Amino acid sequence: MNKRKFLKQVGAASVAAGLILASRSSEAQAPAGDVKVLIVYHSVTGNTEKMAQGVAEGANGVSGTSVVLKKVGEVTGDELLACDALIVGSPVYYANMAGEIKTFFDNWLLKFRFAFTDFKMRNKIGGAFVTGGAISNGKETTMQSIHAAMLINQMSVVSGGGAFGASATTGPDSPGIDEKELEAARALGRRVAEFAAITKRGSKS
């Protein structure tokens, strides 16, 4: 083999190697895609809706997060399957979730045809927020009832904004949603979005 031919082959091999390395580097740096957070709520007076907006604001503040905010009756099965995280909000009725929220969970099987044994929501991140008229009227038990529905479907539940999630007191002594309660809602949205990102992309720490 003459010198010119040898150098030509070496050069071609170097170019090929460079292209392979560049391709691998590009794949490594490619974004894994947005973390999709679905926020679902039922609201009659507007208080739970305002908390939902706070949750959405917090989640949107996390880089790489896309947020869908919907009333509970408008959610589709495809949206549930597409999300990486689900945050559910309800007013407190008799120390429990509103009937509309319970129907939403029931519909995973009855309407959306998520066979229980398939666990189609498995490993998605879940969180809860609630509003109630009095300081002690079942806000924590309501959040836990939402958590229970998620856990039964093998979702991973996290808190934020409080020990069990974000909550607000909206009765006569504390009408509406104040800034402190909104900040708790934002904290919940942030933590769920952050946790979902770690779960989807893997921790870099």
Side-chain angles (χ1 to χ4, degrees), residues 86-108:
L86 172 68
I87 311 176
V88 177
S90 176
V92 177
Y93 293 161
Y94 297 104
N96 211 327
M97 68 178 86
E100 288 81 359
I101 298 295
K102 179 62 166 61
T103 298
F104 164 69
F105 284 117
D106 291 344
N107 278 342
W108 291 14

Side-chain angles (χ1 to χ4, degrees), residues 128 140 143-144 147 157-167 188 191:
E140 290 185 349
M143 284 186 281
Q144 288 177 311
H147 293 164
V157 171
V158 299
S159 62
F164 296 95
S167 64
L188 173 64
R191 181 152 196 265

Side-chain angles (χ1 to χ4, degrees), residues 8-181:
K8 187 176 181 181
Q9 288 179 343
V10 170
S14 298
V15 170
L19 290 172
I20 291 171
L21 289 173
S23 174
R24 288 178 180 174
S25 176
S26 175
E27 288 174 3
Q29 294 175 6
D34 284 350
V35 170
K36 299 176 180 64
V37 177
L38 175 61
I39 302 167
V40 177
Y41 68 94
H42 173 65
S43 186
V44 175
T45 64
N47 288 324
T48 310
E49 182 174 26
K50 190 170 183 179
M51 287 289 283
Q53 291 165 350
V55 173
E57 185 179 339
N60 270 319
V62 178
S63 178
T65 302
S66 63
V67 175
V68 175
L69 177 64
K70 300 198 84 170
K71 294 180 179 179
V72 67
E74 300 172 352
V75 179
T76 68
D78 287 342
E79 286 172 323
L80 286 170
L81 294 176
C83 76
D84 299 299
L86 172 68
I87 311 176
V88 177
S90 176
V92 177
Y93 293 161
Y94 297 104
N96 211 327
M97 68 178 86
E100 288 81 359
I101 298 295
K102 179 62 166 61
T103 298
F104 164 69
F105 284 117
D106 291 344
N107 278 342
W108 291 14
L109 175 63
L110 301 176
K111 181 179 178 181
F112 304 136
R113 304 297 182 187
F114 292 181
F116 180 75
T117 52
D118 289 347
F119 294 111
K120 291 188 176 182
M121 297 295 287
R122 177 182 172 86
N123 295 335
K124 295 181 187 291
I125 310 306
F129 61 99
V130 299
T131 60
I135 293 174
S136 177
N137 72 333
K139 288 195 286 291
E140 290 185 349
T141 57
T142 299
M143 284 186 281
Q144 288 177 311
S145 69
I146 293 171
H147 293 164
M150 293 174 169
L151 289 168
I152 287 169
N153 284 275
Q154 296 193 0
M155 294 178 65
S156 299
V157 171
V158 299
S159 62
F164 296 95
S167 64
T169 302
T170 58
D173 295 332
S174 179
I177 306 296
D178 62 26
E179 181 56 33
K180 184 178 179 180
E181 292 163 337

